[in-house]
Amino acid sequence: MKKEFANVIVDISHEKVDRPFGYRIPERLADSVTPGVRVKIPFGAGNALRTGYVIEVTDHSEFPRERMKEIDSVLPGTKEPSQRLIVLAAWMKQQYGSTMIQALKTVLPARATVGEKERKSIELLLQDAQTQELAAQMERKHQTARLRLLQELMTNRTISWEAATKRLKVPSSVISKLESDGVLKVHASVAYRNPIRRMGEETEKKTLSEEQQGAVNGILNAFDQNDRRPSLIHGITGSGKTEVYLALIEGMIKRGRQSIVLIPEIALTYQTVQRFTARFGDRVSVMNSTLSAGEKQDQCRRAERGSWMLSSVQGRRCLCRFQISG
């Protein structure tokens, strides 16, 4: 049986509206309104259409059905996320004092409407004799752009798209024509937009002290025995707590699980990223409110493929989240 009502968080970061609002689900949207999707809803006295996030669908409502407004539409390109992300957002709101909409925007994947960025390369298909004959023909016909490209490919049989179009100033239409003639082949692959660069060479893990190794073993053994109670690691500044965290993360990766590291202050972000990139290299991805939509989309894709994610909530207090896939 289709559920009739949806609780929606309106895309307004203000304490007065930081609560779910109930809406009717029209029959035409019954199959597409699910937790996590973005919707257009009439809001306020003027019923202006605003964007909102569905956090729950239900059979019950606190208000009479006839007094409730109806969801206008589901925005294209939205995907149903894990219900656990909605729960995580609610926890973030409670724990870190953010609004629900800020927390939702942090944990929900970037919208799928953002296109992938491609990395293109151009490969010469002809043999040397064929290439020289074609180059002579282009020179006779004064086909200067084609000749520049072909001469470059004679030296380096594969070059980047940027080298051809920017450095050699060869129009894309010329490249397409040569590809259709079987002279060359354009290869395309996904290029992840990464807002950070490696901040240091990868480092070997340090040897833990007996006390540190005991803490690591104790926590991992408890996990293996299905003990999910919290563990408190106590130590003064410089006592090596971060090394214990890194060892625990490695242990979880070996078990094919994921880990989340929460960093309470935005001022610690740079040094934390530096520490983790030095240990784990290019597997570190960053997510925060300053990134472009394309960068956010790519960080989500990288995380799905086993990368790490560092994310933050706007405001004076900052939540940084590393999502590590095994």
Side-chain angles (χ1 to χ4, degrees):
M1 181 178 178
K2 305 292 186 183
K3 296 186 177 181
E4 297 184 70
F5 308 103
N7 290 326
V8 180
I9 290 288
V10 185
D11 193 356
I12 302 175
S13 294
H14 196 286
E15 292 180 359
K16 290 185 178 180
V17 293
D18 188 29
R19 62 180 179 85
F21 291 84
Y23 284 84
R24 296 198 317 271
I25 302 175
E27 182 64 30
R28 59 188 171 81
L29 300 178
D31 294 328
S32 52
V33 174
T34 56
V37 300
R38 294 185 309 135
V39 292
K40 281 291 186 181
I41 49 173
F43 189 76
N47 287 327
L49 289 181
R50 301 297 298 255
T51 301
Y53 289 81
V54 176
I55 62 171
E56 183 185 21
V57 291
T58 178
D59 294 322
H60 308 287
S61 172
E62 299 178 3
F63 304 98
R65 192 180 193 282
E66 59 275 8
R67 290 179 53 191
M68 297 180 67
K69 298 176 182 179
E70 194 174 78
I71 293 176
D72 179 77
S73 59
V74 174
L75 293 177
T78 57
K79 297 169 58 178
E80 180 179 350
S82 168
Q83 182 64 33
R84 291 180 298 174
L85 294 181
I86 306 295
V87 175
L88 175 61
W91 178 84
M92 289 164 50
K93 163 185 159 60
Q94 179 69 26
Q95 188 76 9
Y96 291 94
S98 73
T99 62
M100 186 64 176
I101 190 63
Q102 286 175 320
L104 282 170
K105 286 183 175 181
T106 300
V107 302
L108 293 181
R111 294 185 287 278
T113 52
V114 177
E116 292 183 339
K117 182 179 179 180
E118 287 187 329
R119 179 183 289 114
K120 293 182 179 180
S121 61
I122 302 171
E123 178 190 7
L124 180 64
L125 299 180
L126 301 181
Q127 299 298 321
D128 291 345
Q130 294 174 301
T131 306
Q132 292 172 0
E133 181 181 347
L134 182 59
Q137 180 181 339
M138 291 176 178
E139 188 172 8
R140 289 195 301 271
K141 294 182 177 181
H142 303 289
Q143 296 173 330
T144 55
R146 298 186 186 192
L147 182 59
R148 283 198 306 274
L149 178 58
L150 197 61
Q151 287 174 336
E152 182 72 18
L153 288 170
M154 290 169 67
T155 304
N156 305 289
R157 295 191 66 86
T158 301
I159 63 173
S160 68
W161 180 271
E162 289 74 17
T165 57
K166 295 180 180 179
R167 180 166 60 84
L168 300 177
K169 301 187 184 311
V170 179
S172 58
S173 58
V174 170
I175 299 174
S176 298
K177 181 63 169 64
L178 291 174
E179 184 176 28
S180 64
D181 291 342
V183 176
L184 52 83
K185 175 68 175 177
V186 176
H187 301 279
S189 60
V190 176
Y192 292 112
R193 288 160 281 213
N194 193 0
I196 67 168
R197 296 294 179 264
R198 182 178 298 185
M199 298 178 183
E201 294 299 321
E202 294 189 28
T203 59
E204 295 291 334
K205 60 182 179 182
K206 297 180 180 179
T207 301
L208 300 182
S209 68
E210 183 178 347
E211 188 176 8
Q212 290 171 328
Q213 191 63 57
V216 172
N217 293 341
I219 293 172
L220 292 178
N221 289 338
F223 180 86
D224 292 338
Q225 296 170 17
N226 204 32
D227 184 351
R228 299 297 188 264
R229 289 177 297 175
S231 297
L232 175 63
I233 301 175
H234 178 71
I236 63 173
T237 301
S239 60
K241 297 186 298 296
T242 302
E243 288 299 324
V244 173
Y245 304 153
L246 294 172
L248 288 170
I249 290 170
E250 287 186 333
M252 297 308 296
I253 292 174
K254 291 177 181 178
R255 288 161 172 78
R257 305 299 294 266
Q258 295 182 333
S259 302
I260 294 179
V261 180
L262 302 176
I263 308 169
E265 296 294 339
I266 197 168
L268 299 175
T269 302
Y270 178 83
Q271 68 189 66
T272 303
V273 173
Q274 186 179 40
R275 184 79 170 267
F276 277 76
T277 54
R279 180 70 168 268
F280 297 102
D282 293 334
R283 288 189 295 167
V284 178
S285 297
V286 173
M287 179 73 76
N288 59 49
S289 59
T290 65
L291 304 185
S292 68
E295 288 173 330
K296 290 179 181 178
Q297 176 76 0
D298 286 353
Q299 300 320 299
C300 288
R301 290 195 182 105
R302 292 185 72 198
E304 289 172 356
R305 288 164 171 79
S307 298
W308 304 45
M309 184 179 295
L310 170 64
S311 60
S312 64
V313 172
Q314 294 174 336
R316 295 185 63 183
R317 290 185 64 82
C318 174
L319 169 66
C320 296
R321 177 170 68 98
F322 282 100
Q323 178 175 311
I324 307 101
S325 300

